[in-house]
Amino acid sequence: LGDHLQGGIYGEMPATMLDEETKDVPKTNCRSERDFAVLDRLLREKPNCTMIAMEGVILFKQNKTGDWLKTKTDEEKKEIFKACIKLGREQRQVCHSRKLLIAQHRE
């Protein structure tokens, strides 16, 4: 917070320069709030769901993956699902390794 007060690195920045630097920043945090609301709902509805599965559900909705899949042929869908199964296994292994590493650091 101190960076934004008078004397801070942004406190003396001209408004036009600040406008330019922040032009791509969202004006609200609605998207983040919505994401956390979806996560909160998933945690209540599916308490035994893994984090990687919850992330998949959230991203599927955010990225409109269902709509994208509707544009694919059955053969393309088959290839996509085959690749997803393979990548899913790899991601679960990475997630498991990270959990073990975190547990080790906590000890």
Side-chain angles (χ1 to χ4, degrees), residues 8 11 16 19 26 30 33 39 48 51-54 59 62 67 85 89 91 96-97 100 103 105:
T16 54
D19 288 345
C30 289
E33 290 290 333
L39 178 61
N48 295 325
M51 274 301 194
I52 199 165
M54 283 190 257
L59 289 174
Q62 275 183 348
D67 294 339
I85 290 169
R89 286 186 194 117
Q91 285 299 310
H96 181 70
S97 298
L100 289 176
H105 283 282

Side-chain angles (χ1 to χ4, degrees), residues 19-101:
D19 288 345
E20 180 61 30
E21 283 198 21
T22 60
K23 70 179 180 184
D24 296 323
V25 176
K27 303 294 183 231
T28 68
N29 65 345
C30 289
R31 182 178 176 111
S32 301
E33 290 290 333
R34 186 178 23 222
D35 294 344
F36 279 109
V38 171
L39 178 61
D40 185 54
R41 190 194 86 232
L42 283 172
L43 286 169
R44 279 186 279 114
E45 290 178 357
K46 302 174 188 311
N48 295 325
C49 191
T50 64
M51 274 301 194
I52 199 165
M54 283 190 257
E55 180 182 9
V57 169
I58 292 169
L59 289 174
F60 188 90
K61 182 180 178 200
Q62 275 183 348
N63 296 337
K64 298 182 171 93
T65 306
D67 294 339
W68 176 76
L69 280 173
K70 288 177 187 173
T71 67
K72 303 298 177 189
T73 66
D74 287 342
E75 192 59 38
E76 288 173 318
K77 287 178 189 177
K78 191 182 287 186
E79 289 299 314
I80 290 167
F81 293 144
K82 196 170 164 183
C84 288
I85 290 169
K86 181 182 177 195
L87 289 171
R89 286 186 194 117
E90 293 171 8
Q91 285 299 310
R92 284 188 294 277
Q93 289 174 347
V94 168
C95 188
H96 181 70
S97 298
R98 288 180 181 163
K99 280 183 179 179
L100 289 176
L101 187 62

